[in-house]
Amino acid sequence: MKRIAVVEDEAYMREEIAEMLRNAGFEVDEIISFEDTAGQLLRSSPDLILLDINLPQASGFQICREIKQKSAIPVLVLTSRDQMRDELHALELGADEYLTKPCRKERLLARTANVLKRYEGRSHMLEGPGFLLDRQTYALYIHNRSVVLPGNQGRLLEAFLTHGGNPVKKEDLLTALWGTTEYIDENALQVNLTRLKKTMQELEMCLKIIPVRGVGYQLIPEGNNDE
C-alpha cells in the first residue's frame, strides 16, 4: 500500500484530504507538527508528499527545496495560491505537480496516481543536477547513459547529495566510507576524493568538490567560485 504524507495546517482541509486518500486505498500520514517539517518527511520517507505552500514555520517552497535536495520523494503541491509565478517557482524547486484548491476529488486522485506511477522503482534514487544516483547499486544515470560507480565513490557521492549542498564533515565522509573514524589515515580519504573528482570530470557532471576550512568538503556547481 502506497503511503502519502499530507502537509496541510488547516485541520478541516487536512482531514478531508486524508479521508479521501484512505477511501482510495492509500495509507496516510497527517503532518500536524510543523517544527522541522522537512526533517520529519525525510525520516518517514513516504511514497508521495501532498504539500501546501502557506504553512507555519517554513513555507512549502522551503520544504520542497530541502526535500528535493536530499531525496527523490515526489512532491505534489496542493495550494490555494493560483498565481503563475508561484507554480513556476514550485516546479523550479523540483515539485512534480501543482494543483490549486479547491480541487475536484477525481482530479487530485488522478494526478496522485500519475505521479506515483512515474516514480515506480525510484524510491532508492538520489537526485543531483542532471543525474540520478541509485543508493543501492551506486548506478549513476546521466546524459542518457548509466555507469556503476565503485563502492567508495558511490558512498562519497551519496554522502554529499544527502547533505543538500551543505559542507560535509570529514568525520561523516570517513564514516560513509569505512563505518568508523578511528585509525583511518586521512590520505586514504584524499585518494578516494581524487578518484571521485576524476570520475565526475569524465562524466561531465558540472560539479566540483572543494575543501571547507575547519569543516570538511562541499559539493558545489562547477561555475561557483566560492573557493
Side-chain angles (χ1 to χ4, degrees):
M1 181 184 296
K2 297 293 185 183
R3 185 162 51 87
I4 300 176
V6 178
V7 187
E8 166 66 64
D9 63 324
E10 186 181 327
Y12 176 79
M13 178 66 71
R14 182 178 65 247
E15 291 165 5
E16 185 177 43
I17 294 170
E19 182 180 5
M20 178 192 68
L21 292 170
R22 290 188 181 106
N23 290 337
F26 296 107
E27 182 181 346
V28 180
D29 292 342
E30 296 181 52
I31 301 299
I32 59 175
S33 170
F34 298 94
E35 193 75 35
D36 188 25
T37 306
Q40 290 183 61
L41 294 167
L42 289 167
R43 287 188 293 273
S44 65
S45 190
D47 296 294
L48 172 67
I49 298 169
L50 258 59
L51 180 65
D52 190 16
I53 295 298
N54 298 319
L55 296 167
Q57 308 296 329
S59 74
F61 291 130
Q62 293 170 282
I63 294 167
C64 182
R65 178 188 292 111
E66 188 170 346
I67 292 294
K68 286 300 186 175
Q69 284 177 336
K70 298 181 180 180
S71 80
I73 302 171
V75 175
L76 190 160
V77 172
L78 182 63
T79 178
S80 58
R81 294 171 63 155
D82 61 357
Q83 296 296 311
M84 178 62 74
R85 64 174 179 271
D86 291 325
E87 180 174 354
L88 292 176
H89 187 41
L91 295 174
E92 287 169 358
L93 293 174
D96 300 274
E97 278 285 3
Y98 190 99
L99 287 174
T100 55
K101 298 181 289 191
C103 176
R104 290 179 63 88
K105 166 187 168 183
E106 294 82 5
R107 176 172 293 173
L108 177 55
L109 289 176
R111 296 292 178 86
T112 296
N114 284 343
V115 174
L116 286 169
K117 186 175 182 180
R118 292 205 303 267
Y119 273 76
E120 284 290 341
R122 290 179 59 177
S123 59
H124 300 291
M125 295 291 188
L126 284 173
E127 294 184 71
F131 67 87
L132 290 171
L133 176 70
D134 188 322
R135 302 177 75 165
Q136 291 188 324
T137 64
Y138 295 128
L140 184 71
Y141 300 90
I142 185 170
H143 304 319
N144 296 315
R145 59 181 293 205
S146 63
V147 178
V148 178
L149 298 180
N152 280 358
Q153 292 184 40
R155 283 185 277 274
L156 284 174
L157 183 57
E158 178 183 14
F160 283 119
L161 293 176
T162 54
H163 279 73
N166 297 312
V168 186
K169 295 178 181 178
K170 290 180 184 178
E171 294 81 5
D172 291 338
L173 293 174
L174 293 172
T175 300
L177 285 171
W178 296 290
T180 180
T181 60
E182 296 182 7
Y183 313 118
I184 302 297
D185 184 347
E186 191 173 328
N187 288 332
L189 174 59
Q190 292 293 337
V191 167
N192 283 280
L193 285 169
T194 298
R195 289 171 179 167
L196 177 57
K197 290 176 182 178
K198 182 179 178 182
T199 296
M200 286 170 22
Q201 290 176 343
E202 291 173 348
L203 296 175
E204 300 179 344
M205 292 178 68
C206 300
L207 292 169
K208 59 183 178 181
I209 297 169
I210 62 169
V212 179
R213 187 182 300 274
V215 181
Y217 296 87
Q218 186 174 9
L219 185 69
I220 65 172
E222 205 167 50
N224 192 317
N225 295 314
D226 293 340
E227 295 186 62

